[in-house]
Amino acid sequence: MWGYVGPRVAPLSPLERVRLRRVAVRYAMHGWEVTPGACLARSRFVCGRAGCPTVGCHPALEDWEHAASADPARVATWWRSRPHGVLLPTGRAFDVLEVPAHLGQRILEAVRAHPVGPGVRGPVLVTPTGGWMFLVRPGDPLRPELEHCLQVVRHGPGSWVPAPPTRLPEGQVRWAVAPEQARWQLPDSYLVQTTLVDALRDAGVALSPALVPGHLPLPRRG
């Protein structure tokens, strides 16, 4: 399916290869769509597509948005021949709110202490490059205060995130809060965003003015 293009992919032990496949299948079994990522080759990624100019982490399939699947059998076939990274498309089962490392731990501690409890707690992954990614229910845009904040990125439809145990040149992606710890439940996006706003203001980050009271988006019931 993929011809050899570019440098040889990083060698992985049989155990690591099996783990990539098993974890990808587990995500699919819980209804999270998965797509195979390009394989790590020294300090770059190769997808096997002739002429692909992308050297960073990226999907191995050109039509990845349509090919992504939550069918465990189909997902398993992708990892039988090559040690693909595990990528999770966003805007489907969940959206992702990404913040830099210096805010990630602060926000996680605030989430853990939030009076709403489980309603604001969910899976959180951390990349070796310093991104903290909070998985939330899909479909809600950023609050007005966060729309122009460069320290917050919402990954929705058309985007994806690397998931553990994917390896990047800087190291392995890991869970700060694993899906099992959150019982595979996703928090309300606006509850997490409110926590983000408070943490950013406490850190001295200037935010755009909010909408007038009575017009703020409300948490959706789920």
Side-chain angles (χ1 to χ4, degrees):
M1 187 173 181
W2 290 274
Y4 174 75
V5 175
R8 187 179 301 276
V9 300
L12 294 178
S13 70
L15 182 61
E16 288 178 298
R17 294 173 69 101
V18 168
R19 185 182 177 216
L20 280 167
R21 184 173 71 247
R22 285 181 176 174
V23 173
V25 168
R26 186 169 79 246
Y27 294 147
M29 291 178 66
H30 283 86
W32 291 6
E33 292 189 7
V34 179
T35 192
C39 300
L40 183 61
R42 300 187 180 92
S43 61
R44 60 169 292 183
F45 287 86
V46 292
C47 63
R49 300 198 306 267
C52 179
T54 307
V55 297
C57 184
H58 64 284
L61 305 177
E62 186 172 7
D63 193 25
W64 65 269
E65 289 190 71
H66 293 97
S69 176
D71 176 20
R74 184 178 185 187
V75 169
T77 62
W78 285 327
W79 274 267
R80 283 179 182 157
S81 59
R82 304 195 75 190
H84 295 289
V86 181
L87 308 184
L88 302 177
T90 55
R92 302 182 182 192
F94 52 81
D95 285 349
V96 167
L97 302 174
E98 180 179 0
V99 299
H102 71 277
L103 289 173
Q105 186 63 50
R106 179 196 295 261
I107 294 166
L108 181 58
E109 291 171 359
V111 163
R112 285 172 172 163
H114 198 285
V116 175
V120 77
R121 300 170 197 166
V124 182
L125 66 82
V126 181
T127 70
T129 54
W132 283 62
M133 302 188 180
F134 293 76
L135 278 64
V136 298
R137 294 176 197 159
D140 292 321
L142 289 177
R143 284 180 49 148
E145 304 98 314
L146 301 175
E147 285 183 354
H148 304 291
C149 179
L150 299 180
Q151 302 200 54
V152 179
V153 176
R154 172 184 171 247
H155 296 272
S159 185
W160 52 265
V161 294
T166 299
R167 288 189 178 276
L168 304 180
E170 300 82 3
Q172 192 174 61
V173 182
R174 65 179 178 85
W175 288 109
V177 179
E180 294 83 358
Q181 292 176 276
R183 300 183 180 181
W184 295 88
Q185 300 298 308
L186 298 168
D188 183 274
S189 177
Y190 285 140
L191 287 175
V192 176
Q193 289 187 47
T194 298
T195 306
L196 278 171
V197 169
D198 292 341
L200 287 164
R201 285 176 173 157
D202 289 344
V205 177
L207 299 175
S208 301
L211 294 176
V212 296
H215 291 78
L216 284 173
L218 298 175
R220 298 192 304 171
R221 299 184 183 277

